[in-house]
Amino acid sequence: MQDRSPEQLPRLITTSISHYCEKVRWALERLNIPYIEERHAPLFHRLATARNEGRSVPMLVTEAGTFSDSSDILQYIDGMSPVSAKLYPADPKLRQEVEKLEDWFDRQLGPSTGVWFYFYLLDRDKLILRLFCEGVEAIEAELFPVVFPCIREAMERAMEITPESAAESLDRINSIFETVNELLADGRKYLVGDSFSACDLTWACLTGLVLMPTEYGTKLPQLSEIPTEMAQTIEHFRATPAGSFALRLFREERDK
Ligand SMILES: N[C@@H](CCC(=O)N[C@@H](CS)C(=O)NCC(=O)O)C(=O)O
């Protein structure tokens, strides 16, 4: 894939801040796979994904087909990578453990951290416009403020963002952190086996919105820009073993 012209490279359709998109960016970069990122503001992404008969981001468009789930994308790109770089272990039992954790984080953690994050920030227009429009085409960045009130309503409805759902999400995040704290209590360096794998990468990305690591692939807010209660919760998560593990992964493994 190294010598392809830009038109032949895989195209990754994203929104800037999405933690599932960060997961795929990190994996592509780690596996040394050149790609073109096509970034959109939320809901504008639907024009791009619909053209490829899909809906959500991340979406990877390749000559071999279109993949529209972060774990499917990781499996696909891992399949073409050298053994020394792989994100899934060769040992079937270990691979099963990695896939099980990855799937759990995808289904339970990612949606919860998303609801919790947007509950606090969706009404902060200036901050949200900056986060959503980082790296998108000028025309989208210009149109976005005009349509943002409708987009906010659509996101609140689709993600069912309410004070109750935010509180339930926080409970779920706390309980997942507790389980990961327990896993790490034996001093292991990675969640499964003795090397970095897809479940470590997924853990780090899908906790990104409650830890706000500086190495995240787009610029997340500073703690000074967000509500105090939200900042305090982030400080709390950062201080847990599971939180400091994710921050270490961002520091040590994100740019490898
Ligand atoms: N299971 C999917 C979840 C992806 C997902 O939830 N993407 C969100 C952005 S974080 C999205 O595109 N939501 C808007 C939509 O479905 O149109 C994956 O792992 O890729």
Side-chain angles (χ1 to χ4, degrees), residues 78-91:
D78 198 63
M80 59 174 83
S81 299
V83 175
S84 57
K86 284 198 188 298
L87 291 168
Y88 295 90
D91 178 276

Side-chain angles (χ1 to χ4, degrees), residues 15 18-20 45-46 55-58 68-71 106:
T15 56
S18 158
H19 40 358
Y20 294 96
H45 74 272
R46 289 269 182 86
R55 179 186 161 113
S56 63
V57 287
S68 57
D69 174 86
S70 61
S71 295
D106 278 350

Side-chain angles (χ1 to χ4, degrees), residues 15 17-21 23-24 42-43 45-46 49 55-59 68-73 106-107 110-111 114 118 155 158-159 206 209:
T15 56
I17 199 171
S18 158
H19 40 358
Y20 294 96
C21 293
K23 177 178 161 184
V24 175
L43 287 204
H45 74 272
R46 289 269 182 86
T49 53
R55 179 186 161 113
S56 63
V57 287
M59 175 181 270
S68 57
D69 174 86
S70 61
S71 295
D72 290 348
I73 298 173
D106 278 350
R107 286 174 197 276
Y118 288 120
M155 284 180 71
M159 296 174 75
L206 299 190
L209 300 181

Side-chain angles (χ1 to χ4, degrees), residues 8-27:
Q8 292 174 311
L9 291 178
R11 195 159 48 91
L12 179 65
I13 303 172
T14 65
T15 56
S16 71
I17 199 171
S18 158
H19 40 358
Y20 294 96
C21 293
E22 172 65 1
K23 177 178 161 184
V24 175
R25 266 188 224 115
W26 182 339

